[in-house]
Amino acid sequence: MSAAAEWQELHFTARKDQVEPLEDWLFARGALSVTLEDEADQPLLEPGPGETPLWDAVRLTALFAGAEDLTRLLGEIPSELCTQAPTVAVPVADREWTRVWEDQFHPLQMGERLWICPSWTHPPNPNAINILLVPGLAFGTGAHPTTAMCLRALDADLPPGQRVVDYGCGSGILGIAAARLGATAVLGVDNDPQAITASRDNAQRNEVPDAAFRVVLPQDDLIASWQASADWVVANILAGPLVALAPALTSLMVPGGRLLLAGLLVDQAQEVIEAYAPEVALSITDQQEEWVLLAGEKC
Ligand SMILES: C[S@@+](CC[C@H](N)C(=O)[O-])C[C@H]1O[C@@H](n2cnc3c(N)ncnc32)[C@H](O)[C@@H]1O
């Protein structure tokens, strides 16, 4: 190990059931972070609240300070905690480690006016509506096609002065975008408490006052006060929950209000369209990869 190295990494391949004990073992021996990646290109759909789903085969990267004696550590790793012997420590310069984050998350333009920028970056266009986000545990960095389609639709069509519901708000990205695009009141709803915290943190980071973007769990009393009063409802969830939520979402809308639904695949569109008919006549208005956006007005 070069004396100049700031950091070093160990790389492992593990089965899903080995990940948690292996992480615990690594943290107990001084790992500063453990990053998990898919080893076998296996897509994971949206987790339920409190769930942290994992791929069947997981690639772990453990980061240690440059001064740690990883040669000794390599000899101590219990064989039942990984499927292959870990690869030897790789020196990582400080600069390169920062770049790992920069490579994964970078500013993204969404339509004409909106940019989604990781909080540590300088927005490339200071005159744009820049939304600063910390990619955390809650879904919604802007990189996913379903989020991107919703953001582009908000950017293109949301008039100022609207009351907007962001149902399944995750990181709060859509609700914050709506507020920054001129919505006067936004209600964020999510059934995952982590999403409530993330949405509030991100709203604060973007100087969206609490009063302009209220964020609540689905059973909160505040939802009753929004009945039949939302000009726009945006929900980026999955097809199954979107079908189940049809009565709840339509009851929030004013007549003539606009509904945007994302999180469904092209071959699930018909089932979701039927669940909202005849109150809302939905049609596919955008497609990115295999994901579609449905939009329509309430009668
Ligand atoms: C795909 S994420 C979307 C996050 C963000 N709105 C975006 O567009 O990137 C879906 C979110 O919906 C939430 N969710 C799923 N089912 C829900 C339900 N029945 N009621 C409320 N929220 C739900 C999840 O916890 C998750 O945060």
Side-chain angles (χ1 to χ4, degrees), residues 11-295:
H11 298 264
F12 299 86
T13 303
R15 288 190 317 268
K16 163 156 80 170
D17 58 295
Q18 294 171 319
V19 168
E20 201 178 328
L22 180 55
E23 276 186 303
D24 291 345
W25 191 88
L26 290 163
F27 281 123
R29 275 147 190 88
L32 301 168
S33 73
V34 177
T35 309
L36 310 182
E37 291 168 275
D38 181 11
E39 176 70 14
D41 198 21
Q42 176 193 9
L44 286 175
L45 293 176
E46 180 189 321
E51 286 176 14
T52 311
L54 275 180
W55 307 277
D56 292 332
V58 180
R59 197 176 331 129
L60 283 91
T61 303
L63 182 76
F64 288 85
E68 292 281 345
D69 180 1
L70 294 194
T71 315
R72 184 179 53 79
L73 199 76
L74 280 169
E76 293 172 357
I77 295 169
S79 57
E80 68 272 18
L81 290 188
C82 44
T83 48
Q84 287 169 7
T87 54
V88 288
V90 181
V92 183
D94 197 11
R95 212 169 357 99
E96 289 168 31
W97 178 245
T98 312
R99 209 180 303 136
V100 172
W101 281 87
E102 289 174 356
D103 285 350
Q104 278 182 3
F105 303 107
H106 47 89
L108 294 168
Q109 184 169 12
M110 299 290 168
E112 289 284 312
R113 297 171 287 169
L114 275 179
W115 278 83
I116 307 299
C117 305
S119 60
W120 60 86
T121 58
H122 290 293
N125 177 1
N127 299 322
I129 298 176
N130 290 301
I131 303 201
L132 302 179
L133 281 183
V134 176
L137 287 175
F139 185 104
T141 61
H144 196 271
T146 58
T147 313
M149 287 190 292
C150 293
L151 288 168
R152 288 197 300 261
L154 289 169
D155 177 85
D157 298 325
L158 181 69
Q162 303 285 288
R163 283 169 62 80
V164 178
V165 174
D166 171 8
Y167 210 101
C169 55
S171 65
I173 186 168
L174 303 179
I176 294 166
R180 295 289 313 280
L181 286 164
T184 43
V186 183
L187 175 67
V189 183
D190 205 291
N191 62 1
D192 184 346
Q194 274 176 348
I196 306 293
T197 307
S199 290
R200 288 188 180 142
D201 289 350
N202 281 320
Q204 212 170 31
R205 188 167 286 114
N206 288 281
E207 294 171 9
V208 173
D210 285 353
F213 183 30
R214 303 289 305 277
V215 189
V216 298
L217 291 164
Q219 58 273 23
D220 196 281
D221 292 344
L222 185 67
I223 293 178
S225 69
W226 274 75
Q227 290 301 303
S229 76
D231 304 299
W232 277 57
V233 172
V234 186
N236 175 16
I237 314 184
L238 289 175
L242 287 174
V243 167
L245 285 165
L249 297 189
T250 50
S251 73
L252 290 165
M253 300 170 67
V254 292
R258 189 157 179 81
L259 181 64
L260 291 184
L261 299 181
L264 56 145
L265 300 164
V266 65
D267 59 5
Q268 298 170 323
Q270 195 52 38
E271 183 197 357
V272 179
I273 288 171
E274 282 167 16
Y276 285 79
E279 272 202 284
V280 185
L282 290 168
S283 59
I284 296 178
T285 56
D286 199 359
Q287 175 164 359
Q288 190 174 333
E289 299 164 20
E290 71 272 47
W291 302 96
V292 291
L293 180 72
L294 300 181

